């Protein structure tokens, strides 16, 4: 079942019970858009339309809710195809005995479940990194995924009033006087409270829609009528318009409702957030996020009229810490500050090397001679030729020395500080990838010592695994978990979904050496 469609349908029923029929229809419509075969949503929308005297439209929906007549034998054929999709006996022969025949340990199972369902991914850190360990026993990924219960608001004072009524039942006159006075006082307090709540919960807002349209409003109520929407109130007519958060890429507001805990801007971390339509936002994000529908952020501009930024989670494509990997390495104490400064100084010297300096060093020729040859060429017949051609014609170096120098120049131009630190042995590859995972807010999984069942790798074709250097770890409820050593693998989503027959793909980051070693063993077994 489509969980989003089920949520919209449930919220629509709540609105019907509250008497807000027009808004309820919008929620039933959203449920149908999420799942066009959701018959119950058609039925609920049809009945609501009839209540609004839109009988013809309502009857059409009710007719659709009855569903098409099923052809006999079709279901049996479909089930047969699913059964024949994988031949697990052939799959085990294909991969041989490289992987474990046993099922993963219970801890591994819980860990993979959590990665599949929880957006707050844990780092799979080793025991010696006590500051960064995660207690996997605390994970309740399945509960978070499937728990759609909504708490009902109750009036705590109802029982108290019943007790007062019983206490004064013997004296009707006295009861009437007290009830009258109490009721009047309570009504005044309720009106004052409502006034305060109303003023604090209404905010001005700037709405940025998917597609680029912007709308500024003066009266908006956040998380009404439900938590995944807001109400825009017309100042003149008091008409209400519901806008779903998934229609927006960004919502900037003047203030948060009083019901939301007051989050301090000082405790936020700066992030770079990309939305599904390619927009980039630089925002301060609080580490504690209690809402499922939006990410609460603060603007980096202290002078703005809209200091609070809400980003709908459904439309966030990527989140990245606005922080360098080397800073995270320092924070995690993977390297000392003095050692890192020396390494950065050496790295900058290497990155500043030119072709002339590389040739002089490798060919053991004075740099002055190479520079003189290049200067003379600019004034003679070789003017306009490339440096490597000039030096080759000058006879100072041979073709092999030129090619070696050009290859080295290309390598240092593409050299990243993280790879340089690994090559120099200053930090471990695993430590760099833990830091990369934190920066790009994706889970890190240490594959060393982790059991992977034979059947898990049959979820993707062998050539795809080898060519892209990826490892399928588990699949549950049409979600495939894939280990990769690149931080952005979204370009493979469509190809993986088609090959695995799943609906969604989630990625974890693992050290490249671990992934390549597993693939190497698999290929060796295959031969």
């Amino acid at each position: 079942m489509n969980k989003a469609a089920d949520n919209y349908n449930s919220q629509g029923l709540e609105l019907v019970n509250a008497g807000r029929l027009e808004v309820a229809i919008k929620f039933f419509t959203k449920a149908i858009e999420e799942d066009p075969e959701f018959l119950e949503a058609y039925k609920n929308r049809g009945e609501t339309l009839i209540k609004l005297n839109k009988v013809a439209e309502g009857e059409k929906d009710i007719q659709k809710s009855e569903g098409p007549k099923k052809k006999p034998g079709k279901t049996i054929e479909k089930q047969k195809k699913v059964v024949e999709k994988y031949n697990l006996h052939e799959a085990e022969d294909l991969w041989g005995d490289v992987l474990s025949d046993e099922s993963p340990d219970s801890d591994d199972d819980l860990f993979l479940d959590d990665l599949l369902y929880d957006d707050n991914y844990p780092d799979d850190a080793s025991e010696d990194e006590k500051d960064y360990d995660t207690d996997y026993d605390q994970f309740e990924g399945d509960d978070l995924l499937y728990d759609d219960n909504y708490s009902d608001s109750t009036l705590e004072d109802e029982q108290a009033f019943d007790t007062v009524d019983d206490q004064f039942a013997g004296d009707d006159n006295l009861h009437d006087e007290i009830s009258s006075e109490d009721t009047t006082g309570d009504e005044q307090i309720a009106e004052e409270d409502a006034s305060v709540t109303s003023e604090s919960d209404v905010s001005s807002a700037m709405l940025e829609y998917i597609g680029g349209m912007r709308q500024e409003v003066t009266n908006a109520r956040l998380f009404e009528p439900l938590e995944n929407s807001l109400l825009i109130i017309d100042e003149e007519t008091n008409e209400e318009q519901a806008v779903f958060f998934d229609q927006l890429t960004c919502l900037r507001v003047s203030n948060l409702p009083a019901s939301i805990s007051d989050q301090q801007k000082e405790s936020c971390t700066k992030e770079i957030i990309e939305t599904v339509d390619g927009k980039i936002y630089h925002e301060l994000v609080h580490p504690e996020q209690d809402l499922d529908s939006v990410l609460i952020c603060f603007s980096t501009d202290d002078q703005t009229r809209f200091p609070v930024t809400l980003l709908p989670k459904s439309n966030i494509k990527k989140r990245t810490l606005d922080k360098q990997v080397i800073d995270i390495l320092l924070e995690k104490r993977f390297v000392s500050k003095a050692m890192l400064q020396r390494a950065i100084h050496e790295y900058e010297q290497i990155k500043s090397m030119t072709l002339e300096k590389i040739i002089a060093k490798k060919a053991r020729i004075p740099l002055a001679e190479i520079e003189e040859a290049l200067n003379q060429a600019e004034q003679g017949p070789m003017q306009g030729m490339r440096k490597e051609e000039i030096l080759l014609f000058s006879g100072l170096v041979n073709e092999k020395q030129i090619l070696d120098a050009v290859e080295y120049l290309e390598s240092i131009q593409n050299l990243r500080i993280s790879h340089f630190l690994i090559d120099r042995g200053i930090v471990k590859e695993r430590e760099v990838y833990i830091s990369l995972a934190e920066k790009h807010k994706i889970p890190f999984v240490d594959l060393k010592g982790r059991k992977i069942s034979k059947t898990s790798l049959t979820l993707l074709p062998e050539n795809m695994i080898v060519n892209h250097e990826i490892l399928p770890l588990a699949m549950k409820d049409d979600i495939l978990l894939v280990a990769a050593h690149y931080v952005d693998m979204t370009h493979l989503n469509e190809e993986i979904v088609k090959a695995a027959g799943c609906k969604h793909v989630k990625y974890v980051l693992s050290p490249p050496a671990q992934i390549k070693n597993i693939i190497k063993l698999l290929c060796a077994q295959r031969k």
Side-chain angles (χ1 to χ4, degrees):
M1 179 182 289
N2 188 313
K3 301 298 291 184
D6 189 48
N7 285 340
Y8 282 126
N9 183 62
S10 299
Q11 293 165 359
L13 290 173
E14 290 181 14
L15 288 166
V16 169
N17 293 333
R20 307 184 72 170
L21 304 185
E22 292 285 358
V23 182
I25 288 174
K26 294 182 179 180
F27 277 79
F28 293 135
T29 301
K30 291 289 290 185
I32 294 169
E33 289 173 356
E34 288 286 340
D35 185 358
E37 297 180 1
F38 195 177
L39 302 183
E40 184 183 344
Y42 281 109
K43 178 176 177 293
N44 292 333
R45 188 174 71 174
E47 291 176 351
T48 307
L49 285 167
I50 290 174
K51 289 179 181 179
L52 291 170
N53 294 323
K54 299 179 180 179
V55 180
E57 295 177 48
E59 287 179 347
K60 285 182 181 179
D61 273 351
I62 291 175
Q63 188 176 0
K64 288 179 183 178
S65 72
E66 297 173 358
K69 294 183 179 179
K70 296 183 179 179
K71 296 181 180 180
K74 191 171 183 181
T75 305
I76 297 174
E77 290 177 7
K78 187 174 181 182
Q79 290 176 346
K80 185 177 180 182
K81 287 181 181 178
V82 173
V83 172
E84 294 176 349
K85 187 170 183 181
Y86 290 112
N87 187 329
L88 296 182
H89 294 293
E90 292 181 4
E92 290 191 3
D93 291 338
L94 174 67
W95 296 113
D97 298 324
V98 175
L99 299 174
S100 172
D101 287 314
E102 303 173 2
S103 299
D105 294 338
S106 59
D107 287 345
D108 286 348
D109 244 348
L110 289 172
F111 178 74
L112 294 177
D113 274 357
D114 188 76
L115 291 175
L116 283 164
Y117 297 121
D118 194 359
D119 288 334
N120 298 315
Y121 298 119
D123 282 342
D124 189 14
S126 64
E127 294 179 359
D128 57 335
E129 293 158 10
K130 295 182 180 178
D131 291 344
Y132 309 102
D133 279 350
T134 306
D135 185 359
Y136 297 127
D137 293 337
Q138 295 177 4
F139 294 150
E140 299 174 353
D142 286 343
D143 294 339
L144 294 175
L145 180 67
Y146 296 116
D147 188 9
D148 293 320
N149 297 322
Y150 297 92
S151 59
D152 295 326
S153 58
T154 57
L155 296 176
E156 297 178 355
D157 293 335
E158 287 179 352
Q159 292 182 347
F161 282 117
D162 291 341
T163 304
V164 171
D165 289 343
D166 293 338
Q167 183 178 353
F168 292 101
D171 193 340
D172 292 339
N173 293 332
L174 181 60
H175 170 70
D176 291 341
E177 291 176 5
I178 294 176
S179 296
S180 175
E181 292 175 1
D182 286 350
T183 302
T184 304
D186 287 341
E187 287 177 354
Q188 291 175 351
I189 293 171
E191 289 176 2
E192 292 175 2
D193 288 345
S195 175
V196 172
T197 303
S198 175
E199 291 177 4
S200 62
D201 286 356
V202 175
S203 61
S204 56
M206 175 66 75
L207 287 69
E208 298 181 17
Y209 291 84
I210 293 177
M213 189 183 82
R214 294 163 65 94
Q215 179 185 10
E216 184 172 352
V217 297
T218 54
N219 292 328
R221 288 182 178 272
L222 296 175
F223 314 113
E224 291 189 21
L226 296 162
E227 67 170 17
N228 61 345
S229 62
L230 75 151
L231 279 179
I232 299 174
I233 307 166
D234 189 286
E235 287 185 290
E236 297 180 359
T237 63
N238 280 333
E239 290 185 359
E240 298 178 346
Q241 176 193 354
V243 177
F244 296 97
F245 287 144
D246 59 10
Q247 297 175 253
L248 308 171
T249 57
C250 177
L251 173 63
R252 302 186 186 277
V253 296
S254 58
N255 57 277
L256 287 170
S259 57
I260 297 181
S261 59
D262 184 22
Q263 298 183 349
Q264 298 298 320
K265 186 175 180 179
E266 291 73 18
S267 58
C268 294
T269 304
K270 191 174 181 182
E271 289 190 18
I272 303 170
I273 303 171
E274 181 181 356
T275 53
V276 291
D277 58 351
K279 292 181 180 177
I280 304 294
Y281 297 90
H282 296 259
E283 303 292 336
L284 297 172
V285 183
H286 197 275
E288 296 180 4
Q289 297 287 332
D290 300 327
L291 299 176
D292 295 330
S293 54
V294 293
L295 187 70
I296 299 179
C297 314
F298 294 93
S299 173
T300 55
D301 182 6
D302 293 331
Q303 306 301 321
T304 180
R305 293 187 294 121
F306 306 108
V308 181
T309 304
L310 304 180
L311 296 171
K313 291 182 178 179
S314 60
N315 292 329
I316 293 176
K317 181 180 179 182
K318 185 167 62 175
R319 292 171 58 189
T320 306
L321 289 180
D322 193 3
K323 186 185 296 185
Q324 298 295 323
V325 173
I326 55 175
D327 295 328
I328 301 175
L329 287 168
L330 277 174
E331 289 175 1
K332 291 186 172 293
R333 297 192 290 277
F334 288 145
V335 62
S336 68
K337 188 174 183 180
M339 186 179 292
L340 183 61
Q341 287 175 342
R342 289 195 297 269
I344 291 174
H345 179 68
E346 183 183 353
Y347 172 76
E348 290 174 346
Q349 284 184 323
I350 292 174
K351 292 286 285 185
S352 66
M353 290 189 72
T354 61
L355 184 64
E356 304 95 286
K357 291 180 180 179
I358 295 170
I359 291 174
K361 184 176 181 180
K362 288 186 173 291
R364 296 183 179 179
I365 301 171
L367 180 61
E369 290 186 21
I370 294 175
E371 291 175 342
E372 183 180 355
L374 293 174
N375 290 332
Q376 289 177 354
E378 291 179 0
Q379 302 170 2
M382 289 189 288
Q383 186 177 5
M385 293 177 65
R386 297 193 313 180
K387 290 180 181 180
E388 48 265 48
E389 293 174 333
I390 294 171
L391 295 174
L392 187 61
F393 282 122
S394 68
L396 288 173
V397 291
N398 57 39
E399 185 175 356
K400 184 179 183 307
Q401 289 171 324
I402 291 288
L403 292 175
D404 288 345
V406 170
E407 183 180 356
Y408 183 76
L409 180 63
E410 290 176 353
S411 68
I412 64 174
Q413 286 175 342
N414 298 322
L415 181 63
R416 295 185 178 181
I417 182 65
S418 55
H419 294 145
F420 173 78
L421 294 174
I422 295 171
D423 292 341
R424 287 292 188 272
I426 297 170
V427 294
K428 297 176 182 178
E429 181 182 71
R430 181 178 178 280
E431 295 168 342
V432 167
Y433 276 79
I434 288 174
S435 303
L436 278 171
E438 180 170 318
K439 174 179 173 61
H440 293 277
K441 303 190 77 64
I442 54 179
F444 172 83
V445 173
D446 192 343
L447 297 174
K448 188 176 181 180
R450 187 175 295 281
K451 287 184 179 180
I452 303 175
S453 67
K454 286 182 178 181
T455 55
S456 65
L457 292 183
T458 64
L459 296 170
L460 289 176
E462 180 188 1
N463 65 331
M464 181 182 291
I465 291 172
V466 174
N467 293 339
H468 298 299
E469 296 182 338
I470 56 178
L471 293 173
L473 300 180
M475 183 158 73
K476 190 172 183 180
D477 295 342
D478 287 329
I479 305 172
L480 180 64
L481 188 69
V482 177
H485 59 83
Y486 293 103
V487 295
D488 188 3
M489 299 295 291
T490 52
H491 60 282
L492 289 180
N493 281 2
E494 187 175 344
E495 186 179 351
I496 290 175
V497 165
K498 184 177 179 181
C502 60
K503 291 183 179 179
H504 305 286
V505 184
K506 286 194 173 184
Y507 299 97
V508 298
L509 194 67
S510 296
Q514 294 181 3
I515 293 177
K516 291 175 182 179
N517 285 340
I518 293 174
I519 293 175
K520 185 178 179 180
L521 289 171
L522 293 172
C523 291
Q525 183 68 29
R526 172 66 170 160
K527 293 177 182 179

